[in-house]
Amino acid sequence: MRHTRSRGAAAVLLALGAGAAALVPTAQAAPGGGAGAPEMSPGLVRAMQQDLHLTKSEAEQRLAQERVATAVDQRARTIAGRSYAGSWFDERTGRLTVAATDPSLTGQLRAAGADVRRAEYSAARLDAAKKQLDEAGAPSGVAAWRVDPKVNRVVVDVVSSHRSDNDVKAFVRKALQAGPVQVREVGAASRTFAAGTVGGDPYYTGNVRCSIGFSVQGGFVTAGHCGQPGASVSGWDHTLVGSFQGSSFPDNDYAWVSVGNGWWTVPVVLGWGTVPDQLVRGSNEAPVGASICRSGSTTHWHCGTVLAKNETVNYSQGAVHQLTKTSVCAEPGDSGGSFISGDQAQGVTSGGWGNCSSGGETWFQPVNEILSRYGLRLHTA
């Protein structure tokens, strides 16, 4: 990245939802880690203490447990095969729970390090039911839908004030016919976190401000609602950075931007003074229940947990699929920003509801999907 102004940390690429993106500056790279298990950042531990209400030792223990759970999940999927019905990190036990339809696999899954729950429906069966809803088209009174492995159902969120709307009732009837579905009422609809041009450390596309997500070789990834292919991007100092090389929204919410003109990329997520800037060492996907933190140009650094995966969110502009839901707050201008778990990149901020004063929930587009879609390589430390 172009280094002009310093925040005492390395340049960070943070992208946020439609209309809000920020190129975070700084010139100094964080020191590299040693071999073996990565050293836990004191700043990250402090942020988890604050947002997850943990003690220092509890935060450190949880990070270690989540690294183990991520590895166990990969083994468990292979063992369970077609019987796999989802998984989640249980903060009470500090272990991964795997749901499976075949009870004969319980011993093998436990031997792999997982707790096991019997499920009636496989993940493939639930995904098929969810796909029917994806293809049906939803009215604005339906906020989102997702596969929830804990309840072994497809959960449909309906905005309470629209529960009696005829089009909402019709969608719910179709959903219940699609398979194992549970309907839940929520207080508000989802929205993208866009913002007009304001001060801070943004990247701009016209009068839209967004946050950078993660550096890739040749550029950075961000949210698709932030700009269309070919649109020029300027940095926090309004100098030319590059342009959108690919973008998809709705249906997806991802994009990538080329970097040049004196700017460069670094494998860092900005801590905004709340925590030290975080090195990015990979993109192993954290399980449901794991802790996760977000960096964005409006509300800076906040943490929470992964609530659900593969959720379809029904924005006013159209449905976006395969998003991950979190308990982390966000606000306009945070779109495209980084979601990171430990030192592993997770995704770019798409949208949500609420704010960082009263609370809320936020969705992100998984980074591995973006890398695969555009053939990009994550810039890692």
Side-chain angles (χ1 to χ4, degrees):
M1 233 182 106
R2 194 165 189 258
H3 74 282
T4 315
R5 193 164 120 197
S6 170
R7 279 183 174 272
V12 180
L13 295 176
L14 302 163
L16 207 100
L23 243 147
V24 181
T26 75
Q28 157 185 17
E39 182 180 351
M40 295 180 187
S41 161
L44 177 58
V45 171
R46 286 195 298 272
M48 292 177 65
Q49 288 178 250
Q50 174 182 314
D51 290 344
L52 299 180
H53 310 292
L54 303 174
T55 65
K56 180 176 184 289
S57 61
E58 287 172 341
E60 292 173 339
Q61 181 183 41
R62 178 158 178 165
L63 285 169
Q65 291 169 336
E66 289 173 354
R67 281 200 297 270
V68 172
T70 299
V72 170
D73 192 30
Q74 295 171 355
R75 296 195 295 269
R77 287 172 184 267
T78 300
I79 294 169
R82 289 181 295 180
S83 175
Y84 181 77
S87 64
W88 59 93
F89 176 79
D90 189 334
E91 61 180 306
R92 296 168 302 173
T93 64
R95 291 167 56 85
L96 185 81
T97 298
V98 174
T101 60
D102 185 353
S104 70
L105 297 173
T106 299
Q108 295 180 60
L109 291 169
R110 286 178 176 164
D115 293 333
V116 183
R117 181 182 293 184
R118 174 75 185 278
E120 182 178 0
Y121 303 103
S122 69
R125 173 70 180 86
L126 296 174
D127 287 343
K130 178 182 176 293
K131 184 178 180 181
Q132 290 187 53
L133 303 188
D134 289 344
E135 295 171 346
S140 58
V142 178
W145 54 96
R146 65 195 169 279
V147 171
D148 187 334
K150 291 184 181 181
V151 300
N152 199 223
R153 295 290 188 277
V154 176
V155 177
V156 177
D157 290 341
V158 174
V159 180
S160 299
S161 59
H162 294 273
R163 186 69 170 85
S164 60
D165 292 357
N166 289 334
D167 54 355
V168 171
K169 290 193 290 186
F171 182 86
V172 168
R173 283 195 299 271
K174 289 181 181 178
L176 294 172
Q177 294 169 1
V181 169
Q182 175 180 310
V183 179
R184 188 187 73 156
E185 292 191 9
V186 296
S190 310
R191 62 191 175 99
T192 54
F193 287 123
T197 301
V198 296
D201 288 309
Y203 81 72
Y204 298 96
T205 304
N207 65 347
V208 166
R209 174 171 64 85
C210 281
S211 305
I212 296 166
F214 293 96
S215 292
V216 296
Q217 300 301 323
F220 64 83
V221 293
T222 186
H225 67 262
C226 290
Q228 297 296 313
S232 294
V233 171
S234 59
W236 62 270
D237 61 353
H238 296 284
T239 62
L240 180 64
V241 174
S243 60
F244 279 84
Q245 299 299 305
S247 178
S248 178
F249 179 81
D251 187 23
N252 306 293
D253 194 4
Y254 51 58
W256 84 279
V257 174
S258 61
V259 167
N261 305 293
W263 294 78
W264 64 88
T265 64
V266 291
V268 173
V269 170
L270 192 66
W272 293 96
T274 302
V275 301
D277 292 354
Q278 303 294 301
L279 287 174
V280 177
R281 291 191 170 95
S283 57
N284 291 329
E285 185 178 330
V288 169
S291 61
I292 195 166
C293 297
R294 179 192 57 73
S295 182
S297 62
T298 299
T299 58
H300 299 171
W301 183 272
H302 288 277
C303 298
T305 57
V306 178
L307 299 178
K309 295 184 180 183
N310 191 22
E311 181 154 359
T312 299
V313 178
N314 195 34
Y315 296 128
S316 61
Q317 301 95 328
V320 175
H321 307 98
Q322 297 180 323
L323 297 180
T324 297
K325 182 180 185 178
T326 78
S327 64
V328 187
C329 67
E331 295 181 9
D334 284 328
S335 282
S338 321
F339 266 94
I340 188 167
S341 182
D343 57 9
Q344 298 296 304
Q346 298 298 307
V348 301
T349 306
S350 175
W353 63 268
N355 56 51
C356 289
S357 297
S358 59
E361 295 174 336
T362 303
W363 286 264
F364 68 80
Q365 185 90 62
V367 69
N368 286 333
E369 180 184 358
I370 309 172
L371 300 176
S372 175
R373 168 63 180 82
Y374 293 118
L376 301 170
R377 185 157 58 92
L378 188 67
H379 190 171
T380 58

